[in-house]
Structure formats: structure tokens, C-alpha cells
Amino acid sequence: MDYLKVLLEAIEVGRKAAKEQLHRLKRNGARYIVMDDPNLTDEPRIYGTMLDSCGFANIRLSGRSPLVRFIKKNGFKRSFHSYVLHTPYGKVEIYKAYPKGYSLYLPIDNGRQEVSVKEAAYQAALEVLKKHGIDGGVYSRLD
């Protein structure tokens, strides 16, 4: 199986899903104001707005996944627990996850930090991986 081709398809689908979710959020308008803590300063500065809660997402894969083996073999070891594979769309990275497996990060970032955008992107990317027999799960957390 051409795992690079699978990764590129997952990135494309993930980026599309992120764009669609961001469009939905923009229609609803801003939910949060990003500003200095008013308890720490007399004149809090406003930096911008958020359309949703701030957070991250990734795909968790088994350490025995053929995709993990492909990235380890064809990428380079960045540290003891992480590997990076360069693609035409940017860096694909895996990090050792605890208690087991690897966290997969794809270059599907749209410059935003809204957690629902990240979740939509990674869920869509995971569906592509599953279509090609690569099992995993989407994990997200608030920042």
C-alpha cells in the first residue's frame, strides 16, 4: 500500500473538513473574547475573538500500525519518542503516546485554535485512514 498517498488524501480531506467547520462557526459569530486578565492589569488589552473553545486534536494509532512503521522507516527521528515525515503538504509527525501507541499530527492547521475545527479535521482524516484499513481514534483536549 502507498502510505504516502493515503496520508496525502487524509490531509486533503482533513483540511476540507476544517474549512467547512470554520465556515459554520463564522456564521454563528464569536463566542469568546481573548484578552488580558482584568484581575492582573488596570487596562486589559483585547487581542481578538475565538469562535469556539481553544484546543488541540490528534489521531491515536497503535505502535504496531503499518502507518507508524512507514513513518518511522521513511521519516527521520526527531527525538527519542518522535518522528517526522516531510510531505508536499508539510510535516507529518508522530509522538509516543502514553500509556501506549503514537499520536499522529497532520499538517491540516488553518492557523486557528478552535477545538471543534481540529476535531472535524482529524475525524475526517481518520475516516480516510480507516477506509484504507488503518485503525485509530481521535483525541482532543482543551487548551
Side-chain angles (χ1 to χ4, degrees), residues 4 8 15 86-90:
L4 179 58
L8 296 179
R15 285 179 172 180
H86 290 280
T87 74
Y89 294 136

Side-chain angles (χ1 to χ4, degrees), residues 55-103:
F56 300 92
N58 62 63
I59 294 173
R60 186 77 52 89
L61 299 169
S62 163
R64 297 176 186 211
S65 164
L67 183 58
V68 169
R69 288 195 305 266
F70 171 79
I71 293 170
K72 284 181 171 183
K73 180 181 175 188
N74 294 287
F76 68 90
K77 192 171 188 174
R78 192 168 91 179
S79 69
F80 183 68
H81 294 293
S82 69
Y83 296 83
V84 176
L85 175 71
H86 290 280
T87 74
Y89 294 136
K91 294 187 298 186
V92 170
E93 302 178 62
I94 55 171
Y95 294 89
K96 180 71 179 99
Y98 293 94
K100 59 185 180 177
Y102 279 84
S103 295

Side-chain angles (χ1 to χ4, degrees), residues 30-46:
R31 292 182 61 194
Y32 303 103
I33 296 174
V34 180
M35 61 186 284
D36 291 327
D37 186 340
N39 297 315
L40 299 177
T41 180
D42 291 333
E43 296 180 30
R45 189 169 76 180
I46 295 176

Side-chain angles (χ1 to χ4, degrees), residues 4 6 18 24 47 49 56 63 68 75-76 94 107 115 132 136-139:
L4 179 58
V6 171
R24 281 191 290 276
Y47 296 97
T49 59
F56 300 92
V68 169
F76 68 90
I94 55 171
V115 71
H132 293 283
V138 173
Y139 290 77

